Every structure is written in structure tokens, then in C-alpha cells.
Amino acid sequence: MRLKSMIRGLILTLLLAAILVGCDLNSEDENVSSLEEESHVQAVNPDEPGWKVDTSPVTFDWYVNFSWFTTKWGNNEVSNYITDKTGVSINFISPSGNENEKMNTMMASGSLPDFITIGWWEDAAQKIIEQDLVLPLDDLAEEYDPYFFKVADDTKLEWYRQEDGHVYGYPNASSSPEDFERYKDLKPSNQTFLVRKDIYEALGKPDMRTPEGFLNALREAKERFPEVNGEPLIPIGLHEFTSVGNDSIDEYLQSFLAIPKEKNGNVYDRLTDPEYIKWLKTFRKANEMGLLSKDIFIDKRAQMEEKIAQGRYFAMLYQRSDMAAQQLDLYAKDPDKVYIAVDGPANSNLDTPTLPADGISGWTITLISKDVKDPERAIRFLSYLISEEGQKDTFLGKEGVTWHSINGDEHFSPEVLNLLKSDRISFDQKYGAAYTYWMLMDTNKMLEWTHPTAPPLKQLEDWTKGKTVSISEFEGIEPTGTSKEGIAANKIDKEWGRTLPKLLLAKSDEEFDRLFQLFLQKRKDYGYDLVEDYKQNQYEENKRKLNK
């Protein structure tokens, strides 16, 4: 194995140095062997955290594949505490522009930073495994830190086990179907339809579940409230458009319309569902009525956050956690000008939305590069982060500094909690707690320490409860990588990314239909049948895994 070769090479180098300086070879050999054996005995104890063996200073480069992530390590209580405890410092790296381009550039170089955190669904996540750019976590753990197997979740390891039998990535925010049943009344979904409270109430709290009600509310909001602090009101806000589509119009809208993911045991083509087509045409009609701002087609997250903080949007089909900081700012200025969650687009039967909860795949996976500067310390640090101790440290911080024990329960100190509820950005900068460093967060474990949600965020959270469903069996069924199915799926996704804005900007329903049929034909030509077969097989395999 490559790791063993590295160790052997290091020992040989040490022995050669001993010869060159005239040391006694036999004595040095015995010392090196003794030290190696002593370290190995300490490290391989499966019941003891491996990170405690060596807490000397080490800095890892950690790439986070999200351009919006700009948080640094150091200069806050949590990161300083973890560094003081483990000796590990982190140099976070995130792309300044397009995430895919950055990943492609790094992959082409054949070298990656020490740690990589990336969305599990992203094509590059599979490619870096296929190209042998990352190391198997199970091999690293067996060699350097068997404690990993004590703290890792077996279900998650099995879920992410590759065809070669190895596990390369570990997820955050992951819940098995059993976890979902256990926590479904406590854990909300992130997907929400939001409206600005004061404007919505001034309009008489219109029912926006139908296409007619939706369009009328947007039109009336624009007519009655054309400006916000001298800037034009944006009737509807969405997540940013990317090369493969738009989360709001794709996944979120389908969830609100309660479009099934399978029918009669077969993976369902949600994209061609009549209810979905009807609502895509509703958004097209909104543009025809002058209700889709040009900004929504070009703005990135930073620009959207700025406009949310200004209250520029009347309504948004948006992930509530992505606007929490701005919501707190709005609440501090005027509690009546915050956003509230209400019933949004619905199907013809006005069925309750089917919003996804945490699934087994989680949100992101974290991997360790083949070029990691210190594989031993890296796997031990990862084990620490996913352990209960690491989770507690990254969420609560240091006892007596950020939290105290009251009647046996852990609570943030009042001043820490107040800042968390009022100014998340300042909280992250000063304290770095509450999963500021979310790369390996366990959102089930978090429930033990979670405090009551701040008022302007609680309503958004509570609205989703009772509407969540487990979708674990559908996760990871999309083909990725360089297989023929993966190549076909990538072409189809990018074709949809080019087609979606054209559909919304179409001059008529007839033009919409022509463009949509053209997309379907291209989808077929690219190999949609291959993709369909792959998804069905993976879906059935997922069900077997979960049943097992």
C-alpha cells in the first residue's frame, strides 16, 4: 500500500541521515524501531482517540467547493480552542468564481488540497475518486486510527462504499430513514416559500397556491409597492441560475407541487409532469406580465443576500437557512418587515408539499487528498470532528467561555446566545460556534444542544414541520463521472441549464412548447434511456441497501 511505502521511505531516510552524521546505526535503528512501535501501539488502540497521540502544530489546506464560503480559521473562540487542543490549524480555500471550473483546474493538475468538502451530488465528487486523487478513509483508519470505526456511523459508511469496497467520503447533515422517523417532528426542511410580512398583510394575505392567485399577488405587490427605499421591488426571488438549472424552479417547485419521485415502483420523470409544466408556464406568464426581474437571472448569492437584507423581494422560493443572517438584520430594524413562510405554489388538488428532510447522503462529503501532507494526522482529525467530542466542540465551543452546564444540560452563555439570535455574521466571527464550521456537522447530535430558535427564524422553521418526507432511496441515483451514463447525464443537465431561462423568457406558451419539445428531443439524443436505466437500477439498489 502507498501509505506503508511512505513510512518505509521515511524510516530509510532517517537511517541514512544517521550514517552520514556518524551515528551508531544499530543504536539509531533500534531507537527508530522502538519509537515507531511505541507510536503504533498508542495509535492503534481502537478505544482511544488517535488525535491525542500527537498534538504538535500542523496546518492543513481545506478546500470548500462553495464560492460563498468565506469563513476563516483562527481569531474566534471555537477554532482557537480546537487548535489549542489538537494542534491542528486550517487554511480554508474556496473558489472565487465558478466552482466547477475551479475543481476541473485542480483535477487537471493531478493534485488536490489536503481536505476537500464538496456536494455529494456534484460530478467532481465522483471524478476525484475515479481518478485516484483521494485516499480511502477505511484504509487510513485501519493503518493510523481505528478509533474512526468507533465514531463513524456504519450506515453512512455502507452508503458511501464504492465498487472497489472502499469509502472515500464522509457526509455531514446525514440521516438514515430510521433517523428521519425518530426526529421528523423536530427537524424541519430548508425549502420554503417566503413573503415580506408587511406587504403580504397589506395585500390581504392572498392565497398564492394557484397560478391565478400567485400571479395576482405578484402583480398587486408591484403595483402598490413599486419601490423599496428608492429601489425597484422584485416581485419574486429565486436561487441563482447555474449551468445546470435553478434549485428553486427545479427541485423546490417540484417539492411544493408534491410531484412523486416514483410511480408503481419506477423512478418518475418529474420534469414532464403536467402539474410542473403548468407552473413553469405560470412563471413564463409572470415574465410576460413584467413580474420577473432581470436581476434574478444574473444575480449570484452575494447580490441576492444584499437584496434580501434590503427587503427588495416581495416573495421568494428559497432555502430559509441561506437567508437567516439577513432575516435577523431585518428583524432588528423592523419586525414587521421580515419574511414569513406561507403556503406557496401547489398542485391542482392543493395537496400538502412534500419537502425533503435530511437524507442518508447528507449535504456535503469530506475527502482526504492522496497528496495530504500528513495522512496520519488528517484521518485522526477527521475522526475527532465526527466524534461526539468534536461535534460538541464545533457546536458549543469551550466550557466556561461559550457555554456552561446548568442542571446537567449544556447551554450557551447568555451573551453568546444573544449574539447568535441577533447577528449571525458577528457571532461566527467572534465565537465560531453553532457549526460555523459545518463540514462534518451531525444535525441529529445537534438536537441535544439546540436552543429555542430566534423568533424571526422560528416561524420559517415551524411552517415546514409536518410537511417533510424521507427521500434517502432516491439519493445518488443520478449518474456522474466518466461512465457513458455519467457523460450523458452531464450533457442533459447542461442542456436543461441552457433551456430553462429560455422557457421562462418565451414570448408565448406556443414558443414554450416548441422549446420544451426541442429539449426533450436533445435529451433523448444525448442518451436519456441510458440515464433512466441507471437511475432505476440505483434506486432499486438503494432500497436494498436501506432494507439491509
Side-chain angles (χ1 to χ4, degrees), residues 40-101:
H40 184 68
V41 169
Q42 286 180 289
V44 296
N45 186 343
D47 297 319
E48 289 294 327
W51 67 265
K52 293 184 177 181
V53 174
D54 184 357
T55 58
S56 61
V58 63
T59 299
F60 288 114
D61 293 329
W62 193 317
Y63 175 76
V64 180
N65 196 43
F66 296 97
S67 59
W68 51 263
F69 180 76
T70 57
T71 306
K72 302 301 181 183
W73 186 271
N75 300 320
N76 63 46
E77 295 292 350
V78 164
S79 60
N80 289 339
Y81 173 53
I82 291 175
T83 295
D84 289 344
K85 173 187 278 193
T86 66
V88 176
S89 296
I90 301 298
N91 172 39
F92 281 119
I93 304 167
S94 56
S96 58
N98 184 278
E99 290 89 346
N100 290 332
E101 291 179 1

Side-chain angles (χ1 to χ4, degrees), residues 149 234 270 278 317 372 542:
F149 297 110
I234 302 173
R270 302 172 92 197
K278 180 175 74 174
L317 190 54
V372 61
N542 284 355

